[in-house]
Amino acid sequence: MTNRDSELYEFGPFTLDVNERRFLRGECLIPLRTKVFDTLCVLVRNHGHLLDKDELIRAIWPDAIVEENNLAHNISILRKALGETEGQEKFVETIPRKGYRFLAEVRAKGYSEFKSTSLPKLGTVAPFSSAPTLVQREQEMAFLRSRLDRALSGKRQVVFVTGEAGLGKTSLVDAFAQEIQASPELWIIRGQCLEHRGAGEPYMPVLEGLSRLCKGPGGEEIIRILANQAPTWLIQMPWLVSDAQLVLLQHRVVGSTRERMLREIVEAVDVLSTVRPMAFILEDLHWSDYSSLDFIARLAQRQESARILLIATLRTTSVKTQDHPVYGMVQELKLRGFCEEIPMTFLSDESIGRFLPIKFPGMSFSAGFLRLIRERTEGNPLFMLSLVEHWIGEGILKQVDGRWGLSVDFRDRASIPDTLRQLVAQQLAEIGPEDREVLEAGSIAGMMFSAAIIAPSLELNDEEVEARCVTMGNRGHFLAPAGTIEWPDGTATSRFRFIHELFWQVLYEGVPAARKIRMHKQVGSKLETVYGHETRERAAELAFHFVRGRDISKGLRYLEFAAENAAGRSAYQEAIEHLNQGLQLIERHPSRWEFREQELALRTLLGRALVATRGWAAPEAEDNWNHARDLCRQLNNPSQVFPVLYGLAVLHEFRCRYRKSEELVNERLQLVSSHDTGNSLTSHMLLACSLFHQGAFRRALHHAEESLTLYDPELHGGLVATYGEDPGVSSRNWAAQSMCFMGFLDQGLENAQLALALASKPGHLYSLASAQAQIAFLHQYRREDKVVSDWAEATIDLASEQGFPPRVAQGKVLRGWAWSVQGRTDEGIESLQEGLAAYRDTGVEMDRPYYLALLAEAFARSRCFQQGLDTLDEALAMILNSRTFFYEAEIRRLRGCMLLQSDSRKHGSEAEDCFQQALGVARGQEAKLLELRAAVSLSQLWAEQGRKREAVQLLTGLLAWFSEGFQTPDLQQAQDMIRKLGSRVGVKSRSASSLNPQ
């Protein structure tokens, strides 16, 4: 075996490069997830040997406790990557109840033998002559250059530049950025986290950096890659695409989740880096939103090759004292070896001697003066510069005998400020009132501001304010020029920034409270004007100013917009913070009742965000929806109650409270006006769902058909974005499933196929995943295991790719059932259990008794009868707590079958009771399919007991009812049994559409 530092293996057409973490078929790279790649490495290293499951799990997850399901999932994905088909184990052999063995012949190779297909490399970037002069930062710059070289070779790098305020983090990054700008073959994405913005706009520094990059050279290619790889991100920058493209993107991102957004962006960045290496520079992470931190963590932990360098700056003291999540993230990434840190240090005595003459050309300083500077500032560069400038202005620092030093009459060292903050406050106290007013107004606007924004709060025109800022910027007093900006309304003005955040902070804290309130409101009003049609995109910033300006109405409006923005990016934690801030404002207001409409709007959004983050079982989600419903009653405005009743009904539906859901939807339907087809058809759609789960198939079919009668694809296409799934697809699926249970098996399948065709429109990916899952369900009801397996796999693939966790879970459950029928019982049980666990993790209980029934079937096939009976008892307990259930008859029948399989003599009477119960439930539900299935089981038992005449009478009467579906296993089994009993049966003709629902 080769040395682990250069592990290369060949088997079949494949090459495994462990060192570079690449898996290739010929010269084609096959992407594998991290733990799947690790699984392959362990198997290949130990080829020919049986590896126990526990042994494998310990090797792949050394620092975590995981279930066997995780290993089985990895093996399943690996088999697909290796091209193994069902029943053909060319590479990975499964040893039932034991573990796995890698079968293929493996050849270990030296690195020199390997024909490299690595990405093309760029040459080392040479220092750029005009980069800012740095002192005592040579090692840091060399470190960044070395990490860029590593990134150019395909090894992603993440570096955090950390330290206290004033140590030169930004100066270091600026100098490095200026160097690498010399390379035209490098994409640079630079983003700034903004201060003072509450929860902030999710992903804002990343989105702003990407947006600027898309507008630059090569931007068309970046947009194309984002459209293919990360549509959930491109839709956040609508100004980059046409209206037609935007509509297609909106359909493609329906049902997107936080996980999908993160997966898309890191994969898109990896793809972009194959075109051109990328450098991310993100500043001031101590002000970062949560979602941007998620992006950094996800990007850092990917082990695939990528030409990416990410550099981020942050103040360590701030994040520790404020308990900001960035501190924990950095520590975790360092501990796991996914990042490196450059801790910025104070300047040494020797460096101070070099630093000051550079910053103050022509000046030389005595050794005593340098010692004093070192003593008072500890070598903080910003503190030193500010202190020297202050002393020169005050005449404390003078030139004596050709050298600069403290004046002879200066003896009171106690008057020297102990901290930079004290020095800034002292300097501010000495400037003129006009300049101080301008600076204070600027601090209200933020670290960076424009003259046009603060002029109204000073009652001056833009030119006067701009002139004062220019003067201070030229002198280097507090401000520095930051270019010009053109606002969306056409206003163009110069921008300025505070030379350091400490200057901004001290100024902002010093503004009197009443003046601060007035100026925030004025700044907010001006920003409203200049942002024009883009106010919604800047909602978090506007909300901050209006909340601080005590304009509650506008503050609440922009908090709502900010929450909508966050939810649109699946950044629900930020959305919840915005919404809770608004609700707290209302709660504290003495005239709370005046803001009931705003509170209702906030609670409607909050309900969705709570479910997305904490699952359908979260009690706070239900409490919130109930509060919203109370508000609706107070306002007595039907149009406002529709989304609330819908949200509350869906919550009860997903918790198996079908009757409560039905009541809420009926209430919603009674409030709908005759011309409101949108709310009418969605009410019928949800009623069809609720009634189906209660086993009221005839009524469910009626409401599904009512919904389809109202449905117009052109008119109601916009409902896809609101409800996640095309209502036409959903209604046709409920019609299909109801027909199937009612015995119209072919008509049901035809409707499911129509739903699938409708969902196959470009961009309707969530609807398509839903339709694929539903047609898999339908074939499971028909007991067609091969077709179920195919559709389940298709559902898993699409839902995994697009980030739809509930659909992935459903696919795994259905696949597990199909595998168990096909004799792969161990794998089937693993897949079923994995799907059930994943489904429960979403907080959804709907359909759980049905899934448990499928698991019980698999247990029975592996002759684990007691486990199967226990599983069915759990399902029945859930059913008894939630009224009748669509699969109840089958659950009772399965229990009877399992009792007979375990001990027919002992449990014969109890089994017959189960079959009779199943028959009674099925007849009450008009579920002819389940009635026939129960009748077959009961007839088999009767035949064995010598009661053949009763068996024939029961079966012939039922089978004569059916007019279609004779190719399905259930009807074929019934026909075979009748033939064995020596009878014949006729056929009737009927149609589901001819039924008149009661």
Side-chain angles (χ1 to χ4, degrees):
M1 186 177 292
T2 57
N3 185 285
R4 283 286 167 92
D5 289 335
S6 56
E7 284 184 276
L8 277 159
Y9 303 96
E10 286 186 349
F11 47 90
F14 300 103
T15 301
L16 175 65
D17 184 347
V18 178
N19 191 49
E20 293 294 330
R21 296 191 68 83
R22 292 182 299 179
F23 180 47
L24 303 105
R25 183 185 183 101
E27 295 190 356
C28 180
L29 183 67
I30 302 174
L32 292 179
R33 298 174 187 169
T34 300
K35 290 302 180 183
V36 177
F37 188 92
D38 292 343
T39 304
L40 178 60
C41 290
V42 176
L43 288 169
V44 170
R45 285 169 178 159
N46 298 276
H47 59 92
H49 299 285
L50 170 62
L51 294 178
D52 181 80
K53 291 180 181 179
D54 291 338
E55 183 182 3
L56 266 170
I57 289 171
R58 285 194 299 272
I60 299 165
W61 292 277
D63 302 316
I65 299 175
V66 300
E67 298 180 355
E68 285 187 11
N69 295 340
N70 299 74
L71 177 61
H73 179 63
N74 283 5
I75 295 293
S76 176
I77 295 174
L78 196 53
R79 290 190 193 280
K80 290 183 183 180
L82 292 165
E84 289 190 343
T85 57
E86 183 180 337
Q88 295 181 331
E89 297 181 343
K90 297 180 181 179
F91 295 97
V92 182
E93 179 185 16
T94 300
I95 312 299
R97 303 182 186 277
K98 293 291 185 181
Y100 301 93
R101 179 188 291 115
F102 198 79
L103 295 173
E105 180 182 349
V106 177
R107 301 178 299 281
K109 299 186 65 179
Y111 226 73
S112 59
E113 300 175 57
F114 183 61
K115 185 177 181 180
S116 175
T117 59
S118 61
L119 299 170
K121 297 180 180 180
L122 295 178
T124 301
V125 177
F128 189 53
S129 59
S130 63
T133 304
L134 297 174
V135 173
Q136 196 182 302
R137 302 299 182 220
E138 293 82 4
Q139 289 184 344
E140 288 84 349
M141 284 292 288
F143 184 86
L144 290 176
R145 291 173 190 138
S146 69
R147 294 313 178 258
L148 177 59
D149 288 341
R150 285 189 184 181
L152 295 176
S153 71
K155 299 176 182 178
R156 73 181 68 234
Q157 302 291 304
V158 176
V159 179
F160 294 103
V161 181
T162 64
E164 295 182 16
L167 289 182
K169 300 182 294 295
T170 298
S171 297
L172 174 68
V173 171
D174 283 345
F176 183 70
Q178 196 163 348
E179 273 194 10
I180 63 178
Q181 284 172 356
S183 172
E185 297 183 320
L186 191 68
W187 272 327
I188 301 175
I189 298 177
R190 192 158 188 174
Q192 174 80 48
C193 300
L194 292 183
E195 82 300 332
H196 239 305
R197 294 291 182 267
E201 295 282 2
Y203 301 112
M204 186 171 66
V206 184
L207 282 167
E208 289 191 341
L210 278 173
S211 179
R212 281 193 294 269
L213 195 66
C214 289
K215 294 175 182 178
E220 297 82 1
E221 186 168 17
I222 299 169
I223 294 171
R224 179 184 58 79
I225 291 173
L226 289 176
N228 291 332
Q229 300 288 330
T232 58
W233 282 73
L234 187 56
I235 201 170
Q236 307 303 326
M237 300 175 280
W239 50 87
L240 297 175
V241 297
S242 67
D243 291 343
Q245 289 173 309
L246 186 61
V247 171
L248 289 175
L249 285 172
Q250 287 169 339
H251 285 300
R252 288 181 61 193
V253 303
V254 167
S256 63
T257 62
R258 168 184 169 277
E259 283 301 311
R260 177 182 174 185
M261 282 201 72
L262 288 171
R263 175 183 55 78
E264 282 190 358
I265 189 58
V266 295
E267 291 180 358
V269 167
D270 281 6
V271 172
L272 285 167
S273 77
T274 65
V275 179
R276 194 180 298 183
M278 305 185 74
F280 277 89
I281 299 176
L282 301 177
E283 296 187 69
D284 296 328
L285 286 192
H286 45 274
W287 286 325
S288 175
D289 58 276
Y290 306 130
S291 298
S292 294
L293 298 182
D294 290 338
F295 160 73
I296 294 170
R298 187 67 61 91
L299 189 71
Q301 293 177 79
R302 283 175 69 83
Q303 297 188 16
E304 291 81 357
S305 297
R307 299 184 297 174
I308 297 169
L309 168 64
L310 187 147
I311 303 171
T313 68
L314 69 146
R315 282 207 318 262
T316 46
T317 305
S318 295
V319 297
K320 287 181 182 178
T321 56
Q322 297 172 10
D323 196 28
H324 195 285
V326 68
Y327 179 73
M329 181 196 74
V330 173
Q331 297 308 308
E332 175 71 14
L333 291 178
K334 282 176 61 180
L335 184 67
R336 299 175 62 189
F338 290 123
C339 76
E340 295 176 279
E341 182 179 1
I342 299 179
M344 299 293 283
T345 58
F346 295 102
L347 297 183
S348 65
D349 290 344
E350 186 272 332
S351 296
I352 292 172
R354 290 192 293 121
F355 176 74
L356 288 177
I358 292 172
K359 294 299 180 180
F360 299 96
M363 298 176 66
S364 60
F365 301 93
S366 66
F369 174 79
L370 294 176
R371 281 196 302 273
L372 177 62
I373 286 286
R374 169 66 173 169
E375 175 188 327
R376 305 307 292 182
T377 68
E378 296 184 323
N380 182 303
L382 180 62
F383 198 174
M384 285 191 292
L385 289 175
S386 300
L387 190 58
V388 171
E389 288 175 347
H390 175 65
W391 280 344
I392 291 173
E394 293 294 305
I396 296 171
L397 186 61
K398 294 183 178 180
Q399 193 171 27
V400 179
D401 298 330
R403 296 178 67 81
W404 286 81
L406 296 175
S407 59
V408 293
D409 58 347
F410 183 78
R411 296 288 182 270
D412 186 8
R413 291 190 180 182
S415 68
I416 303 175
D418 290 322
T419 66
L420 180 55
R421 179 177 287 271
Q422 291 175 356
L423 175 60
V424 172
Q426 188 172 326
Q427 289 176 316
L428 288 170
E430 296 167 358
I431 65 173
E434 295 85 359
D435 286 347
R436 185 181 179 98
E437 285 182 357
V438 170
L439 292 174
E440 286 177 344
S443 74
I444 297 294
M447 264 289 289
M448 190 176 294
F449 64 91
S450 73
I453 297 302
I454 65 172
S457 62
L458 296 168
E459 297 181 354
L460 298 171
N461 61 46
D462 297 359
E463 291 78 9
E464 290 179 275
V465 177
E466 189 168 337
R468 289 185 184 179
C469 292
V470 168
T471 301
M472 285 188 280
N474 289 339
R475 292 201 306 258
H477 285 181
F478 307 107
L479 296 179
T484 59
I485 183 172
E486 183 171 340
W487 301 95
D489 74 337
T491 301
T493 182
S494 298
R495 281 203 303 182
F496 303 88
R497 62 177 174 83
F498 289 97
I499 60 175
H500 195 273
E501 64 188 71
L502 272 177
F503 290 87
W504 163 74
Q505 287 177 343
V506 172
L507 275 159
Y508 184 81
E509 291 165 5
V511 180
R515 186 163 181 247
K516 190 179 289 184
I517 291 170
R518 174 179 61 81
M519 294 174 75
H520 268 299
K521 185 174 181 179
Q522 290 171 322
V523 168
S525 297
K526 183 62 178 179
L527 285 172
E528 264 191 317
T529 301
V530 298
Y531 280 140
H533 63 279
E534 293 184 10
T535 52
R536 279 179 175 261
E537 286 76 12
R538 300 289 181 167
E541 181 182 5
L542 290 163
F544 167 75
H545 286 296
F546 285 118
V547 169
R548 290 293 178 95
R550 306 288 176 88
D551 188 334
I552 302 301
S553 293
K554 285 190 175 182
L556 291 173
R557 182 172 69 188
Y558 285 112
L559 283 171
E560 180 185 349
F561 292 160
E564 287 177 347
N565 292 344
R569 297 171 190 170
S570 300
Y572 291 105
Q573 188 57 47
E574 287 93 331
I576 289 171
E577 286 201 16
H578 289 307
L579 295 166
N580 281 336
Q581 183 184 0
L583 292 172
Q584 288 165 10
L585 284 174
I586 294 172
E587 187 176 348
R588 293 195 299 263
H589 199 276
S591 301
R592 176 180 178 178
W593 64 273
E594 295 179 1
F595 301 102
R596 286 177 297 178
E597 289 198 11
Q598 290 94 326
E599 182 179 358
L600 177 57
L602 296 178
R603 288 199 177 278
T604 302
L605 284 172
L606 183 59
R608 300 169 190 164
L610 288 171
V611 166
T613 54
R614 298 167 198 179
W616 290 97
E620 56 267 45
E622 185 173 359
D623 290 343
N624 176 77
W625 281 122
N626 284 327
H627 276 300
R629 193 180 181 197
D630 289 341
L631 287 167
C632 289
R633 292 192 182 106
Q634 295 173 30
L635 292 167
N636 195 27
N637 186 340
S639 64
Q640 294 172 307
V641 79
F642 292 128
V644 174
L645 287 176
Y646 191 92
L648 198 52
V650 170
L651 183 141
H652 287 295
E653 184 79 9
F654 281 6
R655 292 190 188 178
C656 292
R657 302 172 186 167
Y658 306 118
R659 184 163 15 179
K660 184 64 177 176
S661 177
E662 179 189 354
E663 291 173 3
L664 290 164
V665 184
N666 274 323
E667 180 182 341
R668 189 176 191 260
L669 197 55
Q670 290 169 5
L671 295 170
V672 176
S673 63
S674 58
H675 61 273
D676 187 355
T677 56
N679 281 313
S680 182
L681 77 88
T682 53
S683 295
H684 284 295
M685 175 189 74
L686 189 52
L687 264 177
C689 171
S690 182
L691 291 166
F692 170 83
H693 283 98
Q694 295 178 68
F697 301 118
R698 183 185 293 266
R699 292 172 60 207
L701 177 59
H702 165 68
H703 285 286
E705 290 177 338
E706 284 291 314
S707 180
L708 290 169
T709 301
L710 295 166
Y711 176 70
D712 181 337
E714 299 299 324
L715 183 62
H716 300 120
L719 293 174
V720 176
T722 303
Y723 296 98
E725 182 179 342
D726 190 298
V729 173
S730 183
S731 297
R732 200 164 284 285
N733 273 320
W734 295 124
Q737 297 196 44
S738 299
M739 287 177 178
C740 179
F741 279 98
M742 292 171 71
F744 302 102
L745 296 162
D746 293 342
Q747 293 177 67
L749 182 57
E750 181 182 349
N751 270 274
Q753 290 168 341
L754 289 171
L756 187 66
L758 180 60
S760 298
K761 291 181 179 180
H764 286 238
L765 295 176
Y766 187 80
S767 296
L768 180 58
S770 177
Q772 289 178 343
Q774 297 291 0
I775 203 168
F777 283 131
L778 194 73
H779 284 290
Q780 193 284 318
Y781 305 150
R782 292 162 56 102
R783 289 181 163 183
E784 296 164 333
D785 57 278
K786 181 63 175 68
V787 190
V788 172
S789 180
D790 291 343
W791 281 117
E793 291 287 3
T795 301
I796 293 169
D797 290 344
L798 177 61
S800 298
E801 179 186 343
Q802 297 300 322
F804 309 142
R807 297 303 183 196
V808 175
Q810 290 172 333
K812 289 178 179 178
V813 167
L814 291 164
R815 178 184 65 184
W817 175 84
W819 281 354
S820 72
V821 173
Q822 294 160 9
R824 301 165 62 182
T825 52
D826 286 348
E827 291 174 274
I829 289 171
E830 287 179 0
S831 185
L832 274 155
Q833 291 176 328
E834 184 180 352
L836 270 163
Y839 201 66
R840 171 157 274 183
D841 286 345
T842 67
V844 178
E845 290 293 313
M846 182 175 70
D847 289 331
R848 184 170 177 80
Y850 163 63
Y851 299 150
L852 289 171
L854 301 187
L855 177 61
E857 278 192 70
F859 280 136
R861 290 192 180 92
S862 65
R863 304 198 65 76
C864 299
F865 299 120
Q866 191 56 52
Q867 281 181 276
L869 287 168
D870 291 344
T871 303
L872 289 174
D873 287 342
E874 181 184 349
L876 284 169
M878 290 187 69
I879 289 170
L880 292 174
N881 289 333
S882 61
R883 202 182 180 186
T884 186
F885 184 66
F886 79 96
Y887 213 60
E888 181 179 349
E890 179 65 357
I891 292 171
R892 295 188 182 279
R893 186 195 73 83
L894 287 171
R895 193 173 189 279
C897 292
M898 222 165 290
L899 287 168
L900 290 176
Q901 288 174 293
S902 62
D903 192 333
S904 59
R905 291 185 180 180
K906 180 179 179 182
H907 298 300
S909 177
E910 188 180 354
E912 183 172 355
D913 287 343
C914 290
F915 297 147
Q916 291 285 9
Q917 290 168 5
L919 270 175
V921 172
R923 287 166 178 165
Q925 295 178 345
E926 300 182 79
K928 287 295 182 182
L929 176 64
L930 299 185
E931 186 182 353
L932 178 67
R933 201 173 289 177
V936 168
S937 295
L938 183 59
S939 297
Q940 287 173 332
L941 179 61
W942 283 350
E944 291 170 5
Q945 295 173 346
R947 301 162 63 182
K948 292 184 179 180
R949 181 180 296 275
E950 293 175 78
V952 170
Q953 289 175 345
L954 177 63
L955 282 180
T956 53
L958 257 177
L959 194 58
W961 184 93
F962 284 85
S963 60
E964 60 187 65
F966 292 101
Q967 77 284 8
T968 60
D970 283 306
L971 271 74
Q972 289 180 353
Q973 184 182 11
Q975 289 174 323
D976 289 344
M977 191 168 182
I978 288 175
R979 279 193 290 269
K980 288 178 183 177
L981 296 174
S983 299
R984 299 180 63 187
V985 64
V987 172
K988 293 183 180 180
S989 176
R990 59 176 51 79
S991 167
S993 60
S994 67
L995 297 173
N996 295 316
Q998 296 174 357

